[in-house]
């Protein structure tokens, strides 16, 4: 294969020096040069378009004059296209129509090989900044701006409200996780949220799977992400609660069963299984002075009291009829353990799902126009006055209503005052906020009581018809809003029996 050898020297000739002057060109006159080395991924992305709309093309492009009066772009074609897109909508958006700074290289007319080479050199040398450097540079640049410039810069970079806070959080990620987040397509807010739950070992993988589900649906929503993030936050809070409870026991001088040697733990017995030498019950109070006094935390982080050496401390084991342990007994014990773990997981997931659900309710209530489906739903509840609504109303607590209507964190603004400030056209929004608050109170605690069977029950197993209708309404509204809200797995499980039946084929 022949090699083209250029006769160019290291020093530019007089004509090439003169060609370095910058001129302003109308983007409408720009076309892609046939010898632009970049032939793939030539379209500008949303981030570049947002920047050019706000700031224009900051870095000059390089072009060659063409015989038809246009200019062929061999460096900066993506920027040129972004300028064309920005100018096309400038009038309707109230933005100025801008020109583009360009090096017009008349010396390259007819020198196609050298033009392609120069284009290749630019694209080959252009290396994207490291993700951490980008975050730090964005944060430092925003911190040094006044509010007007900061708002403009945030818009130009395609960022959202609270960008500085998100940038600081995102930088806490280690390099490997940060690269993983960037490669997976997380935006700045999502990267910052990942930093909040990074200590959970599989958090990046779980959030990336949720993000992939949102992307597969292709509607721009983040319902799956919100649910997974809420669940991770609940798990993190649960871990902290357990750590705090453990620390409190240690600070009070109680020995933890888990810190004892294996053989000692094996011989330990719960106080509920023991008595004093005279047969009296043992409790945490009357056993406190025993050398074997210790404790473990149950699934709800409450202490369960043990004695690590019952025989050595003169305790007796309560007499219980001994039954031979069969394979069936082992199977039942395993089933009981699995069921207990399932209850804990479902209760935790139910509590976590309240966050994304209530955030979506806030968006609905604060929108200019409440969906008709939501208006009719609220109207029916207010006219039928179901029992749960009466119980909620009798308590007179409208804190949740105020929050839905826009009360800020920490403010003690009355819901009635917030509602009075809204226009008449938002009456439906106000009524829906009140109905939603009643439902949220009704489904807050996953544990309930089955009055028919006289036993504890769980909402994630069998919600009432009214409770299921509320969840299904929010699911429908979220799907209509580009998938911005999804029911969590535990909520979907709960409403499964209440979903409308698909018509069967004749």
């Amino acid at each position: 294969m022949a090699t083209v050898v250029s006769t160019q020297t290291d020093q530019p000739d007089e004509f090439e020096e003169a060609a370095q002057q910058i001129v302003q060109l109308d983007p409408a006159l720009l076309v892609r040069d046939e010898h632009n080395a970049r032939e793939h991924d030539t379209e500008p992305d949303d981030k570049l378009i947002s920047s050019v709309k706000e700031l224009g093309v900051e870095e000059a492009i390089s072009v060659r004059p063409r015989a038809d009066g246009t200019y062929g772009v061999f460096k900066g074609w993506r920027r040129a296209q972004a300028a064309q897109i920005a100018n096309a909508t400038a009038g309707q958006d109230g933005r100025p129509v801008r020109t583009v700074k360009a090096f017009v290289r008349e010396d390259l007319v007819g020198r196609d090989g050298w033009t392609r080479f120069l284009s290749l050199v630019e694209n080959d040398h252009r290396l994207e900044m490291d993700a951490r450097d980008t975050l730090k540079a964005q944060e430092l640049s925003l911190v040094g701006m006044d509010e007007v410039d900061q708002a403009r810069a945030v818009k130009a970079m395609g960022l959202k409200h609270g960008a500085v806070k998100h940038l600081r959080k995102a930088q806490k990620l280690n390099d490997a996780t940060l690269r993983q987040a960037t490669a997976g397509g997380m935006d700045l807010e999502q990267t910052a949220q990942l930093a909040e739950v990074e200590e959970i070992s599989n958090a990046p993988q779980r959030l990336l799977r949720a993000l992939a589900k949102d992307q597969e649906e292709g509607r721009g929503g983040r319902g799956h992400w919100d649910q997974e993030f809420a669940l991770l936050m609940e798990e993190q809070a649960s871990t902290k609660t357990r750590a705090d409870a453990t620390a409190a026991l240690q600070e009070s001088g109680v020995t933890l069963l888990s810190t004892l040697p294996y053989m000692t733990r094996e011989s330990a017995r719960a106080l509920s299984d023991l008595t004093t030498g005279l047969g009296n019950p043992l409790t945490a109070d009357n056993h406190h002075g025993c050398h074997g006094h210790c404790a473990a935390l149950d699934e709800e982080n409450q202490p369960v009291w043990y004695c690590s050496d019952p025989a050595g401390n003169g305790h007796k084991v309560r007499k219980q009829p001994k039954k031979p342990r069969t394979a069936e007994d082992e199977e039942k014990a395993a089933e009981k353990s699995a069921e207990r773990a399932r209850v804990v997981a479902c209760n935790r997931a139910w509590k976590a799902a309240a966050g994304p659900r209530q955030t979506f309710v806030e968006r609905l209530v604060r929108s200019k126009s409440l969906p008709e489906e939501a208006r009719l739903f609220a109207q029916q509840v207010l006219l039928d006055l179901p029992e749960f609504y009466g119980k909620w109303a009798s308590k007179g607590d409208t804190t949740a209503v105020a929050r839905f209507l826009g009360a800020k964190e920490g403010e003690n603004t009355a819901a009635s005052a917030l509602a009075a400030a809204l226009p008449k056209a938002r009456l439906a929004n106000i009524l829906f906020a009140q109905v939603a608050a009643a439902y949220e109170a009704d489904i807050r605690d996953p544990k309930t009581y089955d009055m028919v069977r006289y036993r504890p029950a769980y909402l994630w197993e069998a919600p009432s018809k009214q409770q299921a209708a509320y969840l299904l309404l929010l699911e429908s509204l979220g799907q209509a809003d580009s998938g911005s809200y999804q029911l969590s797995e535990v909520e979907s499980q709960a409403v499964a029996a209440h979903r409308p039946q698909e018509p069967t084929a004749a």
Side-chain angles (χ1 to χ4, degrees):
M1 181 175 180
T3 302
V4 177
V5 180
S6 170
T7 59
Q8 297 289 322
T9 64
D10 291 339
Q11 298 297 323
D13 57 31
E14 182 179 347
F15 190 82
E16 191 172 350
E17 282 279 13
Q20 301 306 307
Q21 296 179 359
I22 296 178
V23 300
Q24 299 291 141
L25 295 178
D26 182 348
L29 297 176
L30 303 176
V31 297
R32 181 180 178 277
D33 193 285
E34 294 86 345
H35 295 276
N36 189 317
R38 187 172 186 140
E39 297 183 1
H40 298 90
D41 300 324
T42 61
E43 300 295 323
D45 56 24
D46 292 341
K47 187 176 180 180
L48 176 58
I49 293 171
S50 295
S51 175
V52 172
K53 282 183 176 180
E54 192 65 27
L55 305 174
V57 176
E58 291 289 298
E59 186 180 346
I61 65 174
S62 294
V63 302
R64 298 194 295 175
R66 294 160 53 96
D68 61 0
T70 60
Y71 295 85
V73 183
F74 63 91
K75 290 184 183 180
W77 176 229
R78 293 174 70 249
R79 281 170 277 153
Q81 292 177 92
Q84 293 170 346
I85 294 170
N87 279 355
T89 58
Q92 66 188 49
D93 293 345
R95 290 182 285 100
V97 174
R98 293 187 174 98
T99 56
V100 175
K101 292 178 288 187
F103 292 110
V104 179
R105 297 293 301 271
E106 295 183 7
D107 61 310
L108 294 178
V109 175
R111 299 170 67 188
D112 295 342
W114 192 252
T115 299
R116 183 177 290 276
F117 169 71
L118 293 177
S119 178
L120 170 64
V121 168
E122 181 195 59
N123 284 286
D124 191 43
H125 289 180
R126 187 180 292 274
L127 183 64
E128 290 189 2
M129 287 176 63
D130 175 79
R132 187 173 300 284
D133 289 343
T134 299
L135 292 174
K136 185 175 181 180
Q138 288 175 330
E139 181 198 348
L140 292 177
S141 63
L142 291 174
V143 167
M145 296 179 184
D146 60 32
E147 291 185 5
V148 175
D149 285 346
Q150 189 179 95
R152 188 181 178 200
V154 165
K155 186 176 180 182
M157 288 188 285
L159 304 179
K160 297 178 181 178
H161 179 68
V164 175
K165 178 180 68 176
H166 296 326
L167 286 163
R168 287 172 181 163
K169 286 183 179 179
Q171 290 180 73
K172 295 178 181 178
L173 293 171
N174 61 51
D175 290 340
T177 306
L178 185 56
R179 285 194 296 270
Q180 188 179 15
T182 303
M186 293 186 191
D187 61 25
L188 177 59
E189 182 181 4
Q190 290 169 326
T191 306
Q193 289 180 326
L194 170 59
E196 293 186 51
V197 295
E198 184 190 14
E199 63 187 56
I200 299 178
S201 61
N202 60 346
Q205 293 76 17
R206 288 169 59 178
L207 287 173
L208 284 170
R209 283 196 296 270
L211 177 59
K213 289 181 181 179
D214 287 326
Q215 291 172 339
E216 285 170 9
E217 293 180 357
R219 290 180 291 178
R222 47 180 288 168
H224 294 292
W225 172 282
D226 288 340
Q227 291 291 359
E228 194 63 41
F229 176 67
L231 186 55
L232 285 165
M233 288 290 286
E234 182 67 29
E235 290 175 16
Q236 183 169 269
S238 177
T239 300
K240 183 180 184 303
T241 300
R242 192 167 189 84
D244 291 344
T246 300
L249 280 176
Q250 291 176 314
E251 289 174 7
S252 66
V254 175
T255 300
L256 295 177
L257 181 63
S258 59
T259 64
L260 298 175
Y262 174 77
M263 293 303 296
T264 305
R265 294 200 305 269
E266 285 295 293
S267 62
R269 296 293 294 264
L271 297 190
S272 57
D273 295 337
L274 302 172
T275 67
T276 67
L278 297 178
N280 294 317
L282 281 173
T283 66
D285 291 333
N286 63 19
H287 187 260
H288 190 270
C290 178
H291 295 299
H293 190 63
C294 57
L297 294 176
D298 64 13
E299 290 154 349
E300 296 183 353
N301 300 318
Q302 297 301 312
V304 178
W305 303 100
Y306 285 81
C307 182
S308 60
D309 186 12
N313 289 299
H315 306 324
K316 292 183 178 180
V317 177
R318 290 180 183 273
K319 292 184 179 181
Q320 296 178 351
K322 292 186 177 180
K323 296 181 180 179
R325 198 168 181 85
T326 64
E328 184 179 358
D329 293 331
E330 296 285 354
E331 184 177 344
K332 287 181 178 179
E335 289 177 356
K336 185 177 180 180
S337 177
E339 176 61 17
R340 187 164 56 248
R342 187 178 80 93
V343 168
V344 171
C346 288
N347 282 346
R348 178 184 296 160
W350 187 267
K351 293 175 183 177
R357 188 176 63 242
Q358 292 175 14
T359 297
F360 180 56
V361 170
E362 288 177 16
R363 289 207 306 272
L364 288 172
V365 170
R366 299 179 195 181
S367 63
K368 291 183 179 179
S369 178
L370 185 75
E372 181 67 3
E373 192 178 357
R375 184 190 71 80
L376 292 174
F377 184 88
Q379 177 179 286
Q380 181 176 350
V381 172
L382 291 170
L383 291 176
D384 290 347
L385 294 176
E387 183 181 2
F388 82 90
Y389 182 81
K391 287 181 178 179
W392 171 80
S394 67
K395 295 178 181 178
D397 183 2
T398 59
T399 305
V401 183
R403 188 177 73 252
F404 292 155
L405 291 175
K408 295 181 180 179
E409 191 71 29
E411 286 187 352
N412 191 24
T413 308
S416 57
L418 291 168
L422 294 175
K424 293 180 180 179
R426 303 282 291 280
L427 176 60
N429 301 57
I430 298 168
L431 298 181
F432 183 74
Q434 182 157 310
V435 168
Y439 269 105
E440 290 297 326
D442 192 44
I443 64 176
R444 180 187 298 120
D445 190 347
K447 191 172 183 179
T448 182
Y449 195 80
D450 188 336
M451 298 301 293
V452 176
R453 298 178 178 83
Y454 296 102
R455 63 178 177 83
Y458 298 94
L459 293 183
W460 41 263
E461 284 184 320
S464 69
K465 184 178 179 180
Q466 292 169 329
Q467 292 166 336
Y470 173 66
L471 295 175
L472 289 171
L473 169 74
L474 296 182
E475 179 185 52
S476 173
L477 296 175
Q479 294 304 302
D481 186 33
S482 302
S484 63
Y485 173 74
Q486 302 273 356
L487 289 183
S488 65
E489 180 182 0
V490 73
E491 289 170 316
S492 294
Q493 166 188 300
V495 302
H498 296 271
R499 290 189 181 279
Q501 296 295 318
E502 294 289 338
T504 56

